[in-house]
Amino acid sequence: VTGSAVGVDVGGTKVLALAVDSGATVLAERRVETPADGEELLEAVAGVVVELWEAASGSAGGAVGVGMPGLVDPTGVLRFAPNLPGVVGLDVVGGLQRRLAAARPGGSGAVVVDNDATCAGAAEHLAGAARGVSDAILVTLGTGIGGAIVSGGSLLRGANHFAGEIGHMVIDPSGPACACGGRGCWEVFASGSALGRLAREAAEAGRAEDVLARAGSAAAVRGEHVVESALAGDEQAASIFELFGYWVALGLSNLANLLDPAVVVLGGGVVRAGDVLLEPIRRAFNATVEGAAHRPEVRIVAAERGADAGAIGAALLALSAG
Ligand SMILES: [Zn+2]
């Protein structure tokens, strides 16, 4: 597959659009805020796509991939999105095809729409930390937990394209409420937001002095403060990562028992912490996965494509769709 495509990652607050070539190199980018209304969202996405087409000199159009934060069915309709309640039921493919065809008569190419975490997983599988790996699990620790599963060399899709919603595996049925309406989902304990909650509890108990100093108050503590403290060598931040790493590993070991991956790729802002986060996860994983001493080691590594992964993967999926 050659040429370039535009990949768009629609988040709860921001839309990131990238022009990407077939080697996964980013050629140009645009960012806009995410409108709350569905039609306005389609208008905004079509707008940045056309801007990127114009920025890529000589391009009359081309393939477009879009990652959406929710359940996207095979026809490109967003069925459920806890963080974008105003756009549920939106025909993203149809709405974009109409707008792009109007903007570039005869020039617009394929439009593919997929779950945002699936797109990020495609980027890591095709051009990142899981390149060349036929069985991998890609986990993004952000506001929630996003997942993509590569099995036998292909993205695992499921009957409705809803596979990989790993953040909503229930870890504790009596646990705190989740954005999905359930209770005790894995992402309540092991997302970037959950790290912030663990750190606030530690700060209130007097066990996170450096983290507290960075945040200004216990209520203002976020996961990024723990990352900064840990990178500066703070022992209390490392202790918070020990606990957080246990919860991350608990979900990973369930997934490994189910899917037998060679590699687990972890993405999201917290992964900037590096080994101070990854080592506790590896230790706890090897203590909980079935038969750890009797199976090849599952490599647990940081993602390589960072915050651009969703948009890059959306573009690569669009390129491979023609
Ligand atoms: Zn949930």
Side-chain angles (χ1 to χ4, degrees):
V1 180
T2 57
S4 67
V6 174
V8 185
D9 187 1
V10 177
T13 57
K14 293 251 163 41
V15 174
L16 170 65
L18 300 175
V20 177
D21 72 13
S22 55
T25 300
V26 175
L27 307 171
E29 73 167 66
R30 291 289 185 280
R31 288 166 200 272
V32 291
E33 295 199 348
T34 306
D37 171 77
E39 295 303 312
E40 287 173 22
L41 174 65
L42 293 173
E43 206 60 46
V45 171
V48 288
V49 169
V50 170
E51 277 182 36
L52 286 172
W53 280 349
E54 286 168 358
S57 57
S59 172
V64 175
V66 182
M68 298 292 296
L71 301 180
V72 178
D73 77 16
T75 70
V77 175
L78 183 67
R79 293 293 179 188
F80 179 61
N83 296 314
L84 287 179
V87 302
V88 167
L90 188 67
D91 177 7
V92 183
V93 164
L96 279 179
Q97 279 174 335
R98 269 195 309 281
R99 284 169 172 83
L100 294 174
R104 283 288 183 286
S108 64
V111 177
V112 303
V113 181
D114 219 316
N115 171 266
D116 55 357
T118 302
C119 292
E124 295 295 337
H125 180 227
L126 297 170
R131 192 189 297 106
V133 177
S134 63
D135 292 273
I137 304 173
L138 309 117
V139 181
T140 305
L141 308 174
T143 308
I145 295 181
I149 295 159
V150 175
S151 183
S154 304
L155 280 167
L156 190 72
R157 292 303 198 163
N160 304 293
H161 280 204
F162 298 167
E165 289 290 302
I166 59 177
H168 302 285
M169 298 188 297
V170 176
I171 296 290
D172 177 1
S174 58
C178 177
C180 73
R183 272 196 179 279
C185 296
W186 186 33
E187 71 175 39
V188 176
F189 299 96
S191 63
S193 310
L195 174 63
R197 184 171 51 80
L198 287 176
R200 283 191 291 282
E201 288 168 6
E204 282 159 8
R207 290 183 281 104
E209 287 164 33
D210 186 75
V211 171
L212 184 57
R214 287 170 194 276
S217 72
V221 168
R222 298 287 178 271
E224 65 217 52
H225 300 121
V226 189
V227 172
E228 295 303 330
S229 290
L231 286 173
D234 181 58
E235 299 268 332
Q236 290 177 321
S239 296
I240 295 169
F241 274 136
E242 286 285 334
L243 178 58
F244 178 66
Y246 163 80
W247 288 110
V248 174
L250 189 61
L252 295 184
S253 61
N254 282 331
L255 288 167
N257 290 341
L258 185 67
L259 296 161
D260 185 24
V263 176
V264 172
V265 179
L266 295 178
V270 300
V271 175
R272 277 195 309 121
D275 278 345
V276 70
L277 170 63
L278 294 174
E279 280 301 324
I281 293 173
R282 291 173 183 136
R283 276 198 302 278
F285 176 87
N286 286 318
T288 47
V289 72
E290 182 193 8
H294 308 281
R295 64 194 297 161
E297 186 187 358
V298 178
R299 289 196 299 121
I300 299 176
V301 300
E304 291 179 1
R305 304 311 305 228
D308 290 347
I312 291 173
L316 296 177
L317 288 174
L319 275 175
S320 62

